[in-house]
Every structure is written in structure tokens, then in C-alpha cells.
Amino acid sequence: MRIVLLGPPGAGKGTVARLLSSGSGAVQISTGDILRGAVQAGTPLGREARGCMDRGELVPDNLIIGIMEERLRGPDCRKGFLLDGFPRTISQATALRELLGRLDITLDLAVNMVVPRDVILDRLTTRRTCSNPDCQEIFNLKTRPPAEGARCTECGAPVVQRDDETVDAISRRLEIYNEKSSPLVEFYAQEGLLFTTTSLTKEESLKDITEALGQAPRSTR
Ligand code: ADP
Ligand code: ZN
């Protein structure tokens, strides 16, 4: 399967991408995870991206497009991919279309995850992330608490609140989503690839997407 996940921060793109990936062999590609890994490793990419990320702003298109070109050529992408956090602007979506055209690959679906603002705010302020760059497992203080002593249940590393998960940075990310990323819904509608789900649990969202994939015209599942 080859899927693009759309929706505001906190919509559940990462969670759904993980679930879809574990059942199918398709790889989850999260630009947020890639960038946070680079920041923690202190690479040149990380140094360039850090300021924008902490402010809740987007990193420059050319930086992200370069990363994704390289990533999508990886042999592990041949079984399919779930894009979580990319594209986030029209120019990234246009670059993706052009790149996939060159690689002779078609998308199956662009899934738009619609979630009310109050649910998003609640989810993001209670979200915690594993600090191990190779793990980045997601927890939630209410629904999926970390282990004793705020440790990751998967790898034992400390679980932390992301720098961009303060109320200010979250509001900024939502504004930027509305301004820069929400036009992608129309973009993919015009491409004939859009599928919208309003489900609020991961089980329901997964079911919706699996059903939609079954009906997708060009599906290569
Ligand atoms: P979210 O929970 O907001 O979806 P992500 O983990 O996907 O968070 O991304 C965190 C930050 O990384 C973003 O706020 C942005 O600064 C940067 N980022 C991630 N993906 C992109 C992208 N495709 N284009 C520009 N910036 C990005
Ligand atoms: Zn972990």
C-alpha cells in the first residue's frame, strides 16, 4: 500500500501509520521522527531544522523534499509506504507527485483524518514521546501511560514532553496546519485520491482506511 496521511497534529497519523505498517510490510515514514532524530544526533540537518521545529513552524520545503527524495528511493519502500507528516505544503505535494512519476509509482490513497480542535488540544498536551531517537514510541498520560518512573515500555528510555508540545507551540502548529497544510485536502480531492475519516479511535480509523483501500481503484496492496 502507498498512502499519504493528512490531518492536523494530534489527529493520529503516526498511530495509524504504525498499525498499518505492522500488518503489511509497508514502511512508515515520519518526517517528524526523521527530523527529531537529526536534532538529537546534532547533524547539520538537525541544526538547520531545530529552530523552526521548536517554534512549531515548518522547516523549509527544499530541506524536506531532499530528505524524502532520498528516503523514497530506499529499497525498503518497494513493499509500500505510509507517509506521516509529508507532504505538508502544496509545493511538497507537487514535488512528491513529480518524484513518484519519475519512479513510476502511484499512490493508493490520501487519508484525511478529521478531529475536532478540543480533542486535539487534549491529546497533544497529554502526549509523551520516548526520548530514544531509534524508538520514539508515543504515550498518553490518560490513555496509554508510560512505565514506572516515566520510562518507555518498549526500550526503557525516559519518556518526555516534546519541546513543541507546550500550549503556545501547539496553537502555532494548528494555525500553520490551517494555513499551509489544509489546502492539501483539496489537492488530493482533485487527484481523485482523497478519503476522509472522522473516527476518533485508532480501531475505527484503521477499519475505515482498510475498507477504503479495498475500494481504491489503483490499489496495489
Ligand atoms: P505533528 O505532531 O505536528 O504532526 P511532526 O512530528 O509530524 O508533528 O512534526 C514536528 C515538526 O517537524 C513540525 O512542526 C515541523 O517543524 C517539522 N516538520 C515535519 N514534517 C515536515 C514537513 N513535511 N515540512 C516541514 N516541516 C516539517
Ligand atoms: Zn522507547
Side-chain angles (χ1 to χ4, degrees), residues 132-181:
N132 169 4
D134 295 326
C135 177
Q136 306 204 27
E137 192 70 22
I138 295 166
F139 297 89
N140 183 287
L141 296 181
K142 291 184 190 161
T143 58
R144 190 185 176 219
E148 200 50 40
R151 298 271 159 181
C152 175
T153 54
E154 304 303 305
C155 75
V159 162
V160 296
Q161 184 163 25
R162 278 166 41 182
D163 290 339
D164 63 357
E165 279 172 357
T166 60
V167 173
D168 274 359
I170 292 168
S171 311
R172 184 83 192 112
R173 276 156 66 206
L174 287 174
E175 256 173 51
I176 292 185
Y177 174 79
N178 288 333
E179 183 190 328
K180 304 258 173 67
S181 307

Side-chain angles (χ1 to χ4, degrees), residues 7-10 13 30-33 35-36 49 52-54 56-61 64 84-89 92 124 127 162 164-165 173:
K13 303 185 294 294
S30 158
T31 44
D33 284 356
L35 292 169
R36 278 186 293 278
C52 301
M53 292 178 72
D54 284 351
E57 279 161 24
L58 296 181
V59 307
D61 282 337
I64 286 287
D84 153 24
F86 176 88
R88 253 194 173 73
T89 62
Q92 291 179 17
L124 291 182
R127 180 152 96 179
R162 278 166 41 182
D164 63 357
E165 279 172 357
R173 276 156 66 206

Side-chain angles (χ1 to χ4, degrees), residues 1 38 63 78 96 100 102 105 109-110 116 126-127 157-158 167 170 174 187 191 198 211:
M1 63 175 90
L63 210 67
R78 290 201 199 116
L96 176 64
L100 293 180
R102 263 189 284 141
I105 290 176
L109 217 57
T126 52
R127 180 152 96 179
V167 173
I170 292 168
L174 287 174
F187 178 94
E191 300 270 302
T198 54
E211 276 175 20

Side-chain angles (χ1 to χ4, degrees), residues 45-120:
L45 166 68
R47 284 198 294 276
E48 203 170 337
R50 175 162 208 161
C52 301
M53 292 178 72
D54 284 351
R55 286 191 301 276
E57 279 161 24
L58 296 181
V59 307
D61 282 337
N62 58 357
L63 210 67
I64 286 287
I65 291 167
I67 294 171
M68 288 304 293
E69 281 225 39
E70 203 181 305
R71 187 65 191 85
L72 286 169
R73 288 175 193 279
D76 59 336
C77 290
R78 290 201 199 116
K79 280 195 181 162
F81 48 75
L82 301 144
L83 303 187
D84 153 24
F86 176 88
R88 253 194 173 73
T89 62
I90 292 288
S91 90
Q92 291 179 17
T94 313
L96 176 64
R97 181 171 60 190
E98 197 260 335
L99 172 65
L100 293 180
R102 263 189 284 141
L103 299 174
D104 203 19
I105 290 176
T106 51
L107 288 174
D108 296 322
L109 217 57
V111 176
N112 180 26
M113 302 184 66
V114 176
V115 177
R117 187 186 166 93
D118 55 333
V119 176
I120 288 173

Side-chain angles (χ1 to χ4, degrees), residues 16 113 197 199-209:
V16 160
M113 302 184 66
T197 167
S199 293
L200 293 180
T201 66
K202 53 177 181 285
E203 292 80 12
E204 287 283 310
S205 310
L206 204 65
K207 183 167 155 277
D208 293 347
I209 297 168

